[in-house]
Amino acid sequence: QITLKESGPTLVKPTQTLTLTCTFSGFSLSTSGVGVGWIRQPPGKALEWLALIYWDDDKRYSPSLKSRLTITKDTSKNQVVLTMTNMDPVDTATYYCAHSPRVAAGLLDVWGQGTTVTVSS
Amino acid sequence: EIVLTQSPGTLSLSPGERATLSCRASQSVSSSYLAWYQQKPGQAPRLLIYGASSRATGIPDRFSGSGSGTDFTLTISRLEPEDFAVYYCQQYGSSPTFGQGTKVEIK
């Protein structure tokens, strides 16, 4: 059974850097084709795809946020970390991580419960 | 970047009715890399359909997807009470994007 869980601060100040960790079980990020992605959702708004990292360390980023995002993996710890620099109140959202299966790169078939991040001074 | 436009924004229907949701892409979606997700209040999205028309594991057969190129449709043949939710389409090519969502509400 695949599970994912997001963790990180619930409150960050403007201009700070956000670091979120996705800890997963039930699969390995060393398996060919597998990936983990990050998605966010501002309150009452639509989903926004942020980034995805694959088993071979290939990384994809949202073009509009690419300059602010870094995604890394620690295969031995079953973790993926997303950092977002220069946080702003508009970045207030629920942040999700999700599993991307080997058979369909970029598809998100199992999601974590999400973690809420508020950006405020 | 491929922009996905979903319509209508809100669909007001009664249980037992048929729901038809549209997702239109600004350019052709390669290899039908189009998915549909369902999201209920306070919950994470759940994958319903991938590859434009394949149901994910455990998804009832009242949910079906169709389309190719730039026009895709999610159909719920007979709405059950638990189907009232927000639905998102996603293209999962090299730079994935989501549509803005369609809310299916009880009439």
Side-chain angles (χ1 to χ4, degrees):
Chain A
Q1 180 191 4
I2 291 174
T3 64
L4 306 98
K5 188 171 184 179
E6 307 85 353
S7 60
T10 58
L11 178 67
V12 297
K13 290 181 167 49
T15 76
Q16 287 187 334
T17 293
L18 172 68
T19 299
L20 294 173
T21 301
C22 177
T23 303
F24 55 85
S25 64
F27 68 96
S28 172
L29 248 185
S30 60
T31 299
S32 176
V34 170
V36 171
W38 284 93
I39 309 92
R40 71 178 179 179
Q41 185 173 38
K45 295 189 177 181
L47 301 168
E48 181 181 17
W49 182 84
L50 299 177
L52 198 150
I53 188 166
Y54 291 101
W55 66 283
D56 59 355
D57 212 37
D58 182 20
K59 301 168 186 178
R60 305 296 172 94
Y61 295 100
S62 165
S64 61
L65 292 168
K66 185 175 182 178
S67 63
R68 298 175 54 205
L69 295 174
T70 302
I71 190 169
T72 60
K73 62 180 176 67
D74 186 329
T75 305
S76 65
K77 292 183 178 179
N78 282 353
Q79 290 182 333
V80 170
V81 174
L82 182 75
T83 60
M84 180 180 292
T85 61
N86 194 24
M87 293 292 285
D88 183 272
V90 300
D91 297 313
T92 294
T94 297
Y95 287 76
Y96 298 98
C97 63
H99 170 266
S100 183
R102 180 175 56 84
V103 296
L107 181 67
L108 303 164
D109 64 346
V110 182
W111 293 57
Q113 64 191 22
T115 187
T116 300
V117 177
T118 300
V119 184
S120 175
S121 55
Chain B
E1 179 177 280
I2 297 177
V3 176
L4 299 178
T5 302
Q6 294 187 238
S7 61
T10 301
L11 201 50
S12 299
L13 295 168
S14 301
E17 288 194 296
R18 181 185 187 90
T20 303
L21 289 66
S22 173
C23 177
R24 179 162 290 178
S26 60
Q27 55 188 281
S28 184
V29 176
S30 61
S31 304
S32 293
Y33 285 170
L34 194 287
W36 291 92
Y37 300 84
Q38 176 194 68
Q39 187 179 34
K40 298 180 181 179
Q43 296 185 16
R46 176 176 72 145
L47 176 66
L48 299 176
I49 301 286
Y50 65 95
S53 60
S54 298
R55 274 187 300 276
T57 303
I59 301 303
D61 60 7
R62 64 180 181 272
F63 291 92
S64 63
S66 63
S68 64
T70 60
D71 288 296
F72 299 88
T73 301
L74 174 70
T75 301
I76 310 171
S77 58
R78 286 179 56 87
L79 282 165
E80 297 288 341
E82 61 269 26
D83 299 336
F84 292 92
V86 179
Y87 293 83
Y88 293 95
C89 59
Q90 180 216 11
Q91 63 81 19
Y92 50 99
S94 60
S95 184
T97 51
F98 288 93
Q100 83 278 18
T102 290
K103 182 179 182 180
V104 179
E105 65 176 21
I106 299 177
K107 186 174 182 180

